């Protein structure tokens, strides 16, 4: 049986006005359950990022199809199979985003929850529509944003992280921008133009200069990531396997 395509990859030209010609890779999440982070989707996303690292592209855009950008972990899969393998896969993807020798721009068109916020945080630039909401829903399910904290905490202010992690309440894109989680929040009809402007700016950079500058920017985050990733993966797996979390996930899925 053919493997379902959950992540698409295409190369397109950057639109510039008189600047140097350049291409970018567009990686698009296109999975079921509002782009839930299943093992298969994470594997395909990891493969797409590896391809972008070796393609002759100046930058990468991470986008999504459907009503949501990403709903977080695939809870159906987590209940059936546990989270140890998926937590490691998610950690690998987040690290790949941070370490990719190409700038990554998140194009966020719809709601983002839990693990999906980790993807946004790991990107170098994140452009969101102003109607989008974000929520770290983990604590309400007996969980914690363990793995994604490795990408999120270097972006957000400590007070903002405390409030949003602990409450689990949705917050708007404008607040996400104030917290440092996203770069800017724009009207929906300006989203693609804003992303195009970012890409045009990146196209003016030399590939070596962009890679070296990104490495400089993310050096501390990657060092912290590598120190704590094993503990974060173990914590995530243990929490997902706990009775309180399993009961909460079952209640949520039965609605």
């Amino acid at each position: 049986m053919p493997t379902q395509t959950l992540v698409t990859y295409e190369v397109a030209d950057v639109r510039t006005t008189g600047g140097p010609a350049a291409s970018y890779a567009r990686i698009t999440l296109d999975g079921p359950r509002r782009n839930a982070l299943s093992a298969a989707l994470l594997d395909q996303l990891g493969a797409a990022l590896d391809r972008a690292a070796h393609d002759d592209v100046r930058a990468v855009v991470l986008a999504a199809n459907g009503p949501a950008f990403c709903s977080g972990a695939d809870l159906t899969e987590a209940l059936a199979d546990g989270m140890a393998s998926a937590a490691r896969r998610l950690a690998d993807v987040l690290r790949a985003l941070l370490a990719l020798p190409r700038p990554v721009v998140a194009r966020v068109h719809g709601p983002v929850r839990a693990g999906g916020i980790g993807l946004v945080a790991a990107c170098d630039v994140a452009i969101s529509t102003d109607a989008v909401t974000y929520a770290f829903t983990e604590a309400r399910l007996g969980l914690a944003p363990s793995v994604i904290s490795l990408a999120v905490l270097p972006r957000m202010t400590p007070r903002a992280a405390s409030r949003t992690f602990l409450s689990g309440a949705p917050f708007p894109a404008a607040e996400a921008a104030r917290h440092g989680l996203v770069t800017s929040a724009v009207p929906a009809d300006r989203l693609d133009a804003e992303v195009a402007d970012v890409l045009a700016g990146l196209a003016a950079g030399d590939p070596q200069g962009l890679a070296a500058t990104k490495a400089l920017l993310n050096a501390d985050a990657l060092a912290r990531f590598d120190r704590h990733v094993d503990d974060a993966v173990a914590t995530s797996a243990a929490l997902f396997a706990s009775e309180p979390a399993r009961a909460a996930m079952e209640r949520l899925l039965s609605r």
Side-chain angles (χ1 to χ4, degrees):
M1 185 174 181
T3 302
Q4 183 182 6
T5 299
L6 306 174
V7 176
T8 62
Y9 185 101
E10 60 183 328
V11 174
D13 292 333
V14 178
R15 297 198 305 271
T16 60
T17 54
S23 298
Y24 73 96
R26 185 182 180 95
I27 297 173
T28 306
L29 309 182
D30 195 15
R33 294 188 284 275
R34 301 165 69 86
N35 296 313
L37 299 173
S38 65
L41 186 146
L42 288 168
D43 284 347
Q44 291 184 29
L45 178 53
L49 292 171
D50 183 66
R51 178 177 173 183
H54 295 92
D55 268 358
D56 183 18
V57 294
R58 195 63 51 88
V60 176
V61 171
L62 180 62
N65 287 336
F69 181 84
C70 180
S71 61
D74 188 322
L75 300 185
T76 300
E77 193 174 89
L79 279 171
D81 303 329
M83 196 62 182
S85 178
R88 178 60 66 178
R89 283 182 169 96
L90 176 57
D92 289 344
V93 164
L94 295 180
R95 195 187 191 287
L97 285 165
L98 289 166
L100 195 77
R102 312 276 185 268
V104 185
V105 182
R107 177 195 180 275
V108 186
H109 76 291
V112 193
R113 297 292 183 264
I117 303 180
L119 298 182
V120 174
C123 294
D124 303 289
V125 179
I127 310 299
S128 171
T129 68
D130 54 13
V132 165
T133 60
Y134 297 77
F136 296 98
T137 54
E138 289 91 343
R140 296 186 175 190
L141 297 174
L143 304 168
S146 304
V147 173
I148 67 168
S149 72
L150 301 174
V152 171
L153 291 180
R155 303 291 189 200
M156 297 185 75
T157 65
R159 290 296 188 188
S162 292
R163 179 178 178 181
T164 55
F165 278 24
L166 291 168
S167 74
F171 54 97
E175 191 172 325
R178 290 196 299 272
H179 294 338
L181 182 60
V182 302
T183 307
S184 59
V186 300
D189 61 2
R190 280 285 308 160
L191 179 61
D192 287 323
E194 190 76 9
V195 171
D197 286 346
V198 173
L199 289 173
L202 295 174
D206 178 85
Q208 176 176 286
L210 291 173
T213 301
K214 174 169 177 172
L216 177 70
L217 289 167
N218 288 349
D220 289 345
L222 282 167
R224 181 181 183 277
F225 194 107
D226 291 340
R227 285 196 306 271
H228 298 291
V229 64
D230 290 341
D231 288 342
V233 168
T235 297
S236 179
L239 288 171
F240 269 92
S242 70
E243 286 305 316
R246 290 184 64 82
M249 289 188 287
E250 287 171 353
R251 287 194 299 270
L252 180 62
L253 291 172
S254 68
R255 290 179 183 174

